Amino acid sequence: MDRLSSMFHLTRLLLPFILLLFPLSACQGRLTPTPQIPPAETVARSFLQAWEQGNYQAMYRLLVPDVQDAISEEEFIAAYSSAAKTMTLTCLTASLYSVLEEEESAKANFSVIFETLLAGSFRITNTLPLQLEGNHWGVLWSRACILPQLEGGNHLYLQPEVPMRGNIYDRSGRGLAVNGTRVVVGVVPEELEDADRALFLLSRVLGGSIASLREKYTSAPSHWFVPLGEISAQEGAQHYDTLADLPGVVLREKSVRSYRDGELAPHVVGYMRTIGAEEVEKWREKGYPPDAMVGKAGLEAWGEEFLAGRRGGMLMVVSPNGELISKLARRSPTRGRSIYTTLDRALQKRAVELLKEQRGAIVALDPHNGQVLALASSPTFDPSILIPPTSEEDWRKLTALPGQPLLNRATQGLYPPASVFKIVTMAAGMGTGFYTTSSTFECKGVWNGLGDEWPMYCWVWPGQHGTLDLVTGLEVSCDVVFYKIGLRLHQQDPGLLPSYARRFGLGKPTGLVGLPEATGLVPDDIWKPGDSVNLAIGQGDLLVTPLQIAVLISAVGNGGT
């Protein structure tokens, strides 16, 4: 009992010190907590969100150090950028649905929906491996993180599918620009039995040296078809027997643009050319490869989105030696829509014949509805010569020709209208009430209304028209009649004649659909009487297009519209 009493007594003495120790230990635990490691799920989610945003730099920062040592940031970004470009990727949506975390490794299971321009959309399930590095998780990246099929050096390949282009017709449904064929001549290298003989014969058909033809296929996979050149359908038929008997030589038909009666309406129909280097990115965003043909002028350019249809394609994964690994997605192309013009073929042909070897333009409109029945410009050109394999040298020669054959003089050529503008002057004179059809004038061949020191002559000088009324003055195009009207209008208001010119549609585009137009010029700074007198006969700073004049004349023919 004495021993127990002693232990009890000792415990009572030590108890306050024991109680002090426990709170102190608890307090020290809060001041120095055990480091908290963010879960692998947080890193995986951040990686996928950065991918959705196209923030490849942020993705790279989440890689483990060993991977960053093995691949540079530039190479990492290039891997994702190249995949996106090949796919024609427009957007992607990544979804993380489970993470299995172990001691120092984790697997994040996710899916991605890829939206592409050419192959449509497709969904891939994948796994993102992660590794614990010190006090944080990092992505143990490989190219399989983009697509699991890319493991082992495989790569993406997109086989585009180009739809049939729509045609361009005249008002009767006869073709102005239609789809023709050319023959693509190529080889499958591994099937060539006598390459030297084949190349000798191909060089005679396609042109070019044997060495240059051989160079085109030496670095290609041996089982691929490699195009070496193109010939017309007629040439293909001519050489078919010779080429078809050569093992390894393959002929394939290709759809190309054909312009019937090429010089009939090239400024309306336009032409196609390969995408220029400065426009590659713009067209790539629409699903066009850099070597695609697009409308460059006329209705071919204006109607590109209708005529071209919707491109399709098949997205595949192929091995390093070109063997198919898997098909990821495919979208069929949609055929282009055709354009029907209002051109009257016979009238257009006659207009072209009348302009032969002259510089100028002819426009014919139906005044009742504004339809363009003929629109010809000269010098002209044949758009067929611009179809590949036309060289850049051929293009430069065409653009350097005298007379600017590519210029559409009917809608873009600017000229003083001369005496045809007297219609506007007559309308202004009658519209203001200053004159009527029976108003009379005296033409002595010369007019001194601006002063004796500024004589103005009629086109019949040294003859004269004598006494004539307003209608006759227009019929014989008497300059003196319109000098007088111009001065009278100026005295009332210098802006009167220009305002009537605009009411007739001058000084602004006519609104013709499909072709570019020049605006023209109606002068506003008419301060001196002489300027109005010159303007009254269609001279001075006034500039118009032939199309604007055709619209003006139509207004006379239809009663004012």
Side-chain angles (χ1 to χ4, degrees):
M1 291 296 292
D2 291 340
R3 187 176 180 183
L4 288 172
S5 298
S6 299
M7 291 177 64
F8 181 73
H9 180 70
L10 180 62
T11 300
R12 289 182 65 188
L13 291 173
L14 294 175
L15 184 59
F17 297 99
I18 294 171
L19 292 173
L20 285 170
L21 285 172
F22 280 102
L24 182 59
S25 298
C27 184
Q28 286 177 335
R30 288 195 295 272
L31 289 173
T32 57
T34 301
Q36 295 296 312
I37 299 173
E41 178 182 344
T42 301
V43 175
R45 197 174 298 279
S46 297
F47 186 87
L48 296 177
Q49 287 175 346
W51 191 7
E52 285 182 330
Q53 297 162 3
N55 190 349
Y56 304 139
Q57 292 89 344
M59 296 167 68
Y60 185 78
R61 290 194 293 269
L62 296 173
L63 306 187
V64 297
D66 286 348
V67 173
Q68 290 182 342
D69 290 340
I71 183 171
S72 68
E73 183 175 357
E74 291 74 18
E75 291 171 324
F76 178 83
I77 292 173
Y80 278 90
S81 298
S82 175
K85 182 179 289 186
T86 301
M87 291 181 189
T88 64
L89 186 68
T90 57
C91 71
L92 64 86
T93 304
S95 301
L96 181 67
Y97 55 86
S98 70
V99 178
L100 178 61
E101 188 175 319
E102 298 179 353
E103 291 184 359
E104 293 187 355
S105 65
K107 291 182 179 179
N109 298 308
F110 68 97
S111 66
V112 181
I113 298 175
F114 297 92
E115 302 282 348
T116 76
L117 272 173
L118 296 186
S121 64
F122 64 100
R123 182 177 180 271
I124 290 290
T125 58
N126 205 347
T127 300
L128 190 69
L130 297 103
Q131 182 173 296
L132 186 61
E133 295 284 333
N135 62 354
H136 68 274
W137 289 92
V139 177
L140 197 59
W141 185 87
S142 71
R143 281 177 170 77
C145 294
I146 304 174
L147 290 170
Q149 296 92 331
L150 297 182
E151 191 72 73
N154 298 332
H155 61 274
L156 287 168
Y157 176 72
L158 179 70
Q159 180 177 302
E161 297 182 28
V162 182
M164 189 71 74
R165 190 174 180 86
N167 297 326
I168 301 176
Y169 299 105
D170 70 359
R171 70 189 299 111
S172 300
R174 289 184 290 181
L176 297 171
V178 297
N179 293 304
T181 56
R182 286 180 69 82
V183 178
V184 180
V185 182
V187 297
V188 178
E190 67 178 18
E191 297 179 5
L192 287 170
E193 294 180 2
D194 187 346
D196 291 338
R197 179 171 179 270
L199 290 172
F200 171 73
L201 293 174
L202 288 171
S203 68
R204 297 179 64 180
V205 173
L206 300 174
S209 67
I210 293 175
S212 65
L213 292 176
R214 192 191 304 273
E215 186 180 353
K216 290 183 178 181
Y217 70 81
T218 50
S219 60
S222 62
H223 60 284
W224 281 21
F225 168 76
V226 182
L228 300 182
E230 296 180 12
I231 54 179
S232 67
Q234 182 178 356
E235 291 171 313
Q238 179 183 344
H239 297 292
Y240 180 81
D241 291 338
T242 301
L243 299 179
D245 288 339
L246 294 172
V249 175
V250 179
L251 306 182
R252 292 182 176 178
E253 283 195 348
K254 170 186 174 183
S255 177
V256 296
R257 208 57 165 167
S258 174
Y259 297 98
R260 296 183 177 174
D261 298 325
E263 296 189 3
L264 184 67
H267 298 94
V268 175
V269 174
Y271 53 85
M272 298 180 67
R273 277 184 59 75
T274 305
I275 293 171
E278 71 285 355
E279 296 182 305
V280 166
E281 285 307 314
K282 166 190 149 185
W283 287 104
R284 193 192 301 278
E285 292 174 359
K286 300 179 181 180
Y288 288 70
D291 60 347
M293 295 276 291
V294 295
K296 286 286 190 176
L299 294 179
E300 291 278 33
W302 172 82
E304 177 67 26
E305 64 176 303
F306 309 111
L307 295 165
R310 188 183 71 174
R311 291 174 173 249
M314 181 181 293
L315 184 63
M316 300 172 281
V317 176
V318 297
S319 68
N321 63 0
E323 295 177 351
L324 176 65
I325 302 299
S326 66
K327 297 178 181 178
L328 298 175
R330 178 180 182 270
R331 189 182 71 189
S332 299
T334 303
R335 180 172 180 150
R337 295 159 59 190
S338 294
I339 292 175
Y340 291 80
T341 72
T342 59
L343 291 180
D344 181 300
R345 195 182 194 89
L347 193 59
Q348 178 73 17
K349 185 177 181 181
R350 182 58 178 150
V352 171
E353 291 171 349
L354 289 171
L355 284 171
K356 200 72 173 177
E357 298 178 0
Q358 300 181 72
R359 293 189 189 184
I362 292 177
V363 179
L365 301 184
D366 183 333
H368 303 295
N369 54 26
Q371 291 183 355
V372 180
L373 304 178
L375 194 150
S377 178
S378 181
T380 189
F381 66 97
D382 184 351
S384 299
I385 67 175
L386 298 174
I387 297 174
T390 302
S391 67
E392 284 300 313
E393 181 62 26
D394 293 331
W395 169 254
R396 284 192 291 270
K397 286 179 180 178
L398 177 62
T399 56
L401 286 174
Q404 298 176 276
L406 297 179
L407 175 66
N408 186 351
R409 286 175 161 77
T411 64
Q412 295 175 297
L414 291 172
Y415 312 95
S419 290
V420 72
F421 187 77
K422 291 172 181 174
I423 294 171
V424 178
T425 306
M426 178 177 176
M430 295 178 66
T432 55
F434 298 153
Y435 302 95
T436 67
T437 55
S438 58
S439 297
T440 58
F441 302 83
E442 186 70 26
C443 171
K444 297 181 179 179
V446 63
W447 178 71
N448 296 310
L450 298 177
D452 292 339
E453 68 275 24
W454 301 103
M456 305 285 289
Y457 296 91
C458 186
W459 67 268
V460 294
W461 174 259
Q464 56 182 295
H465 286 116
T467 302
L468 65 175
D469 60 26
L470 182 54
V471 174
T472 305
L474 182 64
E475 289 175 352
V476 300
S477 190
C478 176
D479 291 326
V480 170
V481 169
F482 292 94
Y483 291 150
K484 292 180 178 180
I485 298 175
L487 180 59
R488 178 70 180 86
L489 292 171
H490 181 89
Q491 290 169 341
Q492 177 66 26
D493 178 358
L496 265 177
L497 193 49
S499 72
Y500 269 82
R502 289 191 175 85
R503 290 169 67 179
F504 272 94
L506 304 184
K508 61 183 179 183
T510 67
L512 178 68
V513 174
L515 301 181
E517 289 188 75
T519 300
L521 175 65
V522 174
D524 287 312
D525 53 346
I526 297 180
W527 309 114
K528 299 179 181 179
D531 295 329
S532 291
V533 169
N534 263 332
L535 181 60
I537 63 167
Q539 301 292 344
D541 294 331
L542 181 66
L543 293 173
V544 300
T545 68
L547 178 61
Q548 287 173 330
I549 293 301
V551 170
L552 185 157
I553 298 298
S554 289
V556 176
N558 65 31
T561 301

